[in-house]
Amino acid sequence: MSVERTYESAVGRIEEIIRRLDSGDAGLRETLALVREGRELVEYCAAELDAVSQGLDELRLDELVTRLEGAQRTDEHL
């Protein structure tokens, strides 16, 4: 059974990786594997943040269009 990755779970795993690396207990191969995993997780989180940011921009644009359409209808009735 595979667990779906979420932004929150990725951030949690990054924090675990940082703690492990900071402990100094990881060997060379484990350090390399952790750094690779961490980089992949950071890239995933950045993509998620970009997607959310784009979604917010689209919502703001939709809101602006709605306001402009409402203002235009008001002007037409004057």
Side-chain angles (χ1 to χ4, degrees):
M1 181 170 110
S2 106
V3 176
E4 185 175 332
R5 181 186 289 177
T6 65
Y7 176 84
E8 292 78 11
S9 67
V11 169
R13 179 62 182 145
I14 290 169
E15 290 171 349
E16 292 172 9
I17 290 171
I18 290 170
R19 281 192 296 275
R20 178 67 178 157
L21 292 172
D22 282 347
S23 76
D25 294 334
L28 184 60
R29 289 188 185 269
E30 182 184 2
T31 297
L32 179 59
L34 289 170
V35 168
R36 284 180 175 159
E37 181 184 359
R39 181 178 57 205
E40 177 186 316
L41 291 167
V42 167
E43 289 171 357
Y44 169 81
C45 289
E48 287 293 293
L49 289 173
D50 285 344
V52 168
S53 177
Q54 182 178 355
L56 289 173
D57 288 344
E58 289 171 4
L59 287 174
R60 286 187 202 111
L61 182 58
D62 288 346
E63 182 180 310
L64 178 60
V65 167
T66 301
R67 285 183 183 176
L68 290 173
E69 287 173 344
Q72 182 179 7
R73 277 186 240 129
T74 302
D75 290 344
E76 289 172 357
H77 286 74
L78 292 177

